[in-house]
Amino acid sequence: MGGADVSDHDEAVAALKRLGLSSYEAQVFIALQRLDTATVREVDRTTEVPRSQIYGAAEDLAERGLVDIQQSNPIQYRAVDLDEARTRLRERLDREEDRAFDYLESARRERADESEAQEDIWTVQGTETIDDRVVTLIGDADERVVFGAREEGTFDDAVTDALTAAGERGVAVTVVDGDRVRERFGDDVSFRATTDAPNDERSGRVLVVDADTVLISVTGGDGLPAVDHEAAIWSAHTGFATVLVGLLDVWFDQYLEDA
């Protein structure tokens, strides 16, 4: 065979492998297409498949419905018509596809069942990582956002921009104890101040989005200064978040007043 023929042969083998045949099965099937009817010895002369492997490959092809076997002495093999082979391979692919996607659908249902049985509560560490999560959660707000932070440094530009954008699209945005950053916001953001609230030096920031999303962080810990470490928990669209938001709303009503 010339170079082009070798390349075409290799591409045909590769294509048949993608259709589910093994390399030996593909080569034997191609050889039988050339030979029409042939014994193992004759196939061995036209393919690089070891003779010991031709028997098994031919038997496997017969099980797939791609080769007929004549019980003569010696046994002879004949490839089925190409249209028939195409139909058999397509049917096999369809069955494998159905089997695979049935399993995937089952796995998806199992995941959904597990999700219904557990609440998703996530932890994040590091101020920059928490900034990113805060910005994402604010971006998902539909009705309201309440955001408060002990340290002015946690009002970075990205968080400020996210709060401003939420206010501009009609979300009710409230910043708690925001006097020191008031000049960064326009009229779309309102401010509330804490009165007689318990003082906790480790409290970091709190974010409430709509009625079912919350993020709370603490600073310090592990022997580090407060400015060097921040960790947070957050949950969105869960029963846990809904309950916690309800508790925070009670706290807001008790300790916040219009600024």
Side-chain angles (χ1 to χ4, degrees):
M1 289 184 290
D5 291 335
V6 171
S7 177
D8 290 344
H9 176 270
D10 291 344
E11 289 181 4
V13 170
L16 288 170
K17 288 172 65 177
R18 289 192 291 271
L19 291 173
L21 302 188
S22 70
S23 177
Y24 287 162
E25 289 169 354
Q27 292 180 69
V28 169
F29 186 68
I30 291 172
L32 288 173
Q33 291 295 337
R34 291 195 178 101
L35 297 170
D36 189 23
T37 301
T39 64
V40 167
R41 176 176 293 182
E42 291 168 331
V43 172
D44 182 46
R45 292 172 182 166
T46 61
T47 181
E48 297 179 357
V49 177
R51 181 180 293 191
S52 62
Q53 299 295 326
I54 294 175
Y55 293 96
E59 293 290 338
D60 290 340
L61 288 168
E63 289 182 6
R64 294 175 183 270
L66 300 177
V67 164
D68 294 332
I69 300 177
Q70 183 179 19
Q71 298 297 332
S72 56
N73 190 14
I75 294 176
Q76 296 195 78
Y77 302 92
R78 180 179 67 85
V80 300
D81 178 81
L82 285 179
D83 287 338
E84 184 177 351
R86 187 191 301 271
T87 299
R88 295 283 171 82
L89 287 172
R90 182 180 294 116
E91 289 174 348
R92 180 181 178 85
L93 277 178
D94 290 342
R95 288 195 300 272
E96 294 300 324
E97 178 183 301
D98 290 342
R99 183 180 297 120
F101 279 89
D102 285 345
Y103 175 78
L104 291 172
E105 183 62 32
S106 175
R108 179 184 288 272
R109 286 195 299 270
E110 288 178 6
R111 184 192 68 187
D113 292 342
E114 290 175 358
S115 296
E116 291 176 359
Q118 68 182 23
E119 297 289 356
D120 291 329
I121 305 169
W122 304 92
T123 61
V124 287
Q125 296 194 24
T127 297
E128 291 185 1
T129 305
I130 297 171
D131 285 341
D132 292 341
R133 179 53 52 190
V134 167
V135 168
T136 298
L137 295 178
I138 293 172
D140 293 336
D142 293 319
E143 298 177 359
R144 68 156 179 168
V145 170
V146 180
F147 180 75
R150 175 180 293 275
E151 300 294 333
E152 183 176 347
T154 53
F155 283 91
D156 76 340
D157 290 341
V159 173
T160 302
D161 291 345
L163 292 167
T164 299
E168 290 175 348
R169 67 173 185 270
V171 175
V173 177
T174 301
V175 173
V176 179
D177 286 341
D179 283 347
R180 59 194 184 280
V181 292
R182 185 187 292 264
E183 69 278 1
R184 299 189 190 179
F185 299 97
D187 296 334
D188 295 315
V189 174
S190 61
F191 298 87
R192 298 183 74 181
T194 56
T195 59
D196 301 324
N199 187 26
D200 183 355
E201 294 296 332
R202 290 196 59 192
S203 63
R205 45 184 153 175
V206 61
L207 171 70
V208 170
V209 174
D210 298 332
D212 58 2
T213 298
V214 63
L215 178 146
I216 298 176
S217 78
V218 294
T219 57
D222 299 330
L224 297 175
V227 295
D228 291 340
H229 184 75
E230 184 180 11
I233 63 167
W234 69 274
S235 187
H237 314 304
T238 64
F240 169 82
T242 301
V243 170
L244 188 51
V245 168
L247 293 173
L248 286 170
D249 281 338
V250 172
W251 191 94
F252 293 154
D253 290 340
Q254 183 175 356
Y255 293 110
L256 297 186
E257 64 180 13
D258 292 338

